[in-house]
Amino acid sequence: MSEISSLAECRDDEEVRAAVAGWIAREVPETWREAGERGGPSLVRTVRTPEQYRQWYPAFARSGLVVPQWPVEYGGLGWSRRLAQTAERMLAPYHLPRLNPLGLNLTAAALFAHGTHEQRLRFLPKIVANEEVWCQLFSEPGAGSDLASLATRAERDGDGWRVTGQKVWTTWAHLADFGVLLARTDPDAPKRKGITYFLIDMRQPGVDVRPLPHIGGEIDFNEVFLDGAFVPDSQRIGEVDDGWRVARATLSGERQMVSGSGSGGVDRIGGSGSRRLINLARERAERGLPYGWDDAGTRHELVRLWCEEQIRGWTNMRVRAGLRAGLPPGPESSIGKVHGSELNQRMQAAAARMLGLGATAWEGAGTDPAAYAESMPPEVRGMLRSRANTIEGGTSEVNKNILAERVLGLPKEPDPWEGRPWREVPRG
């Protein structure tokens, strides 16, 4: 009996605990288990490199525990939310993050909401296994906050489409095998009516990826030039010219992912969470350094951040519960995005402040860009990276407009070009 099928047979919490405990004993390397049981995730990180984790990850994927609430045929276990949470509590000490978060959160959201069974079978299991890495090709130089004004074109070519245009701020495009793509298929329709949603192969001629290094030296973002790249029609999600509706599922998944704890994707984008900051403050107090846990102001600030992080996690759980129940993406993801991104910026700023002058100068910085990035304290790197949080995944301004219109019922801002063909709308 396969690992997935044996775990999928669990029907209550007791069976899940027994089955997951057995899987941990068999599959998680002994040094990782011992570190997790002694000191939790922070100690696991000291005995395991990212590359070792990537090499081991297929064992995690084969278990179905990466996405336990997904159907078995797509790489999950078909469990209820309660059973999945029971398993997650048991896995938590061993720090087993999900790889391929853009595939798990963005691509999967569109496939579950609008894809065919055949498309799900083709792509979802490889997403779970991290065998095909994904990126998102939405934003363009002239279509960021106003995404629907995008100009990348897709034109019919036999049994597929030829795509030409430029995308920008594409996270992990330099690592991706596939991308979710929005392209204009009818320039004579209003801007939201002539867009189609595709799944495009990033490893083909006609796709040129150019990295955009961060201020901290990392490369996450890229610009992507598409010059006649081909997409078979079988990799179109939803109907032709109905891609805006499909994109809403992806955008909701993106907002949920980047809003942090409880999202089921990455913990946060930029820096560590409140527990790590509290541990840092305690370490500083033990060493007699300023801004430690013995400082009342520092303690008050970190406890407040911890409380906000719990609220954020509960909000994200509500979003996930609605999606699992088959409800359409709602404004809750925008609430989580606005609150989570601004909270993470405050959190990383607090971490940098605790370093005092150590956040402005440190040993080994030098003048070489590579050495500078490598020597940067993680708290400073997290603070710098977090500055993008209120832009990526939909700016805070855009998400606040969504909340104003859909939650508070306020009128939309007047648009003199509403309903006009896209080709007639002025663009910068």
Side-chain angles (χ1 to χ4, degrees):
M1 183 178 293
S2 70
E3 193 77 59
I4 281 186
S5 60
S6 61
L7 285 166
E9 290 183 351
C10 296
R11 291 293 177 264
D12 57 41
D13 289 337
E14 184 176 350
E15 290 181 358
V16 166
R17 282 191 286 268
V20 173
W23 179 84
I24 292 170
R26 291 191 305 273
E27 299 292 346
V28 178
E30 183 177 359
T31 54
W32 305 2
R33 292 201 313 271
E34 292 176 349
E37 289 159 6
R38 292 202 321 271
S42 60
L43 189 56
V44 173
R45 294 187 185 97
T46 68
V47 300
R48 185 184 75 200
T49 67
E51 181 57 32
Q52 288 172 332
Y53 185 67
R54 281 191 291 271
Q55 292 179 0
W56 172 83
Y57 194 78
F60 191 21
R62 287 193 299 270
S63 71
L65 290 168
V66 170
V67 285
Q69 292 179 257
W70 287 15
V72 172
E73 58 192 334
Y74 302 145
L77 295 169
W79 282 354
S80 66
R81 175 186 176 188
R82 189 191 77 251
L83 296 184
Q85 288 176 332
T86 298
E88 197 60 35
R89 285 192 291 271
M90 298 189 65
L91 297 173
Y94 308 103
H95 185 53
L96 306 178
R98 275 67 171 170
L99 301 183
N100 207 3
L102 300 187
L104 289 171
N105 291 275
L106 278 56
T107 309
L111 285 169
F112 276 120
H114 302 284
T116 66
H117 176 62
E118 290 73 22
Q119 288 170 332
R120 295 171 193 161
L121 283 177
R122 161 63 186 86
F123 290 108
L124 291 177
K126 290 184 179 294
I127 287 173
V128 175
N130 196 38
E131 293 176 3
E132 291 175 345
V133 177
W134 286 76
C135 67
Q136 179 196 43
L137 299 160
F138 279 18
S139 295
E140 299 182 4
S145 295
D146 185 15
L147 177 60
S149 66
L150 61 89
T152 294
R153 292 288 303 276
E155 298 178 325
R156 280 281 192 180
D157 181 10
D159 61 351
W161 303 78
R162 292 286 173 185
V163 183
T164 301
Q166 180 186 357
K167 300 292 182 175
V168 74
W169 309 124
T170 306
T171 302
W172 301 328
H174 60 301
L175 305 174
D177 301 296
F178 285 88
V180 293
L181 167 75
L182 288 182
R184 189 160 302 281
T185 45
D186 185 358
D188 293 314
K191 61 183 182 181
R192 290 180 177 80
K193 300 296 185 181
I195 295 171
T196 303
Y197 191 110
F198 299 99
L199 311 179
I200 187 171
D201 182 352
M202 297 291 291
R203 308 288 188 180
Q204 63 169 305
V207 178
D208 181 15
V209 178
R210 304 179 189 177
L212 298 169
H214 290 178
I215 190 173
E218 316 98 318
I219 294 176
D220 283 346
F221 298 143
N222 303 265
E223 52 184 349
V224 179
F225 294 86
L226 303 162
D227 185 10
F230 184 74
V231 184
D233 193 58
S234 61
Q235 291 175 201
R236 167 177 51 83
I237 305 297
E239 299 298 324
V240 175
D241 298 333
D242 194 30
W244 189 253
R245 186 167 65 96
V246 182
R248 288 179 60 187
T250 290
L251 292 170
S252 178
E254 181 184 31
R255 291 163 187 154
Q256 180 190 359
M257 182 184 73
V258 300
S259 64
S261 177
S263 66
V266 291
D267 290 338
R268 57 193 50 76
I269 301 181
S272 301
S274 61
R275 291 187 182 278
R276 172 69 188 105
L277 269 62
I278 291 170
N279 289 337
L280 175 63
R282 286 172 171 159
E283 292 168 9
R284 293 184 67 83
E286 290 173 1
R287 296 164 58 191
L289 297 174
Y291 309 112
W293 192 247
D294 54 348
D295 176 73
T298 298
R299 198 164 58 246
H300 176 82
E301 180 178 27
L302 297 187
V303 170
R304 186 180 70 247
L305 292 171
W306 180 88
C307 291
E308 285 196 62
E309 195 171 47
Q310 309 316 301
I311 296 170
R312 180 188 62 185
W314 296 331
T315 300
N316 290 343
M317 288 171 66
R318 287 168 52 205
V319 175
R320 296 174 67 192
L323 293 174
R324 283 193 300 269
L327 299 176
E332 296 92 345
S333 57
S334 290
I335 295 173
K337 172 60 171 64
V338 171
H339 177 242
S341 59
E342 295 177 0
L343 169 61
N344 194 50
Q345 289 179 347
R346 296 197 303 274
M347 200 173 300
Q348 306 321 316
R353 279 196 300 273
M354 275 195 287
L355 299 187
L357 292 178
T360 61
W362 51 88
E363 293 183 5
T367 58
D368 177 69
Y372 167 79
E374 183 65 27
S375 64
M376 185 180 293
E379 293 80 10
V380 176
R381 182 178 292 109
M383 181 271 293
L384 291 174
R385 177 62 182 86
S386 72
R387 303 319 301 166
N389 290 170
T390 47
I391 301 173
E392 58 199 344
T395 66
S396 289
E397 291 77 10
V398 167
N399 281 291
K400 287 177 180 179
N401 276 346
I402 292 172
L403 295 173
E405 294 167 6
R406 299 186 189 174
V407 177
L408 301 179
L410 299 178
K412 291 186 177 182
E413 295 183 10
D415 180 1
W417 303 98
E418 183 73 26
R420 298 283 291 276
W422 172 85
R423 66 167 72 251
E424 296 180 6
V425 178
R427 286 177 295 281

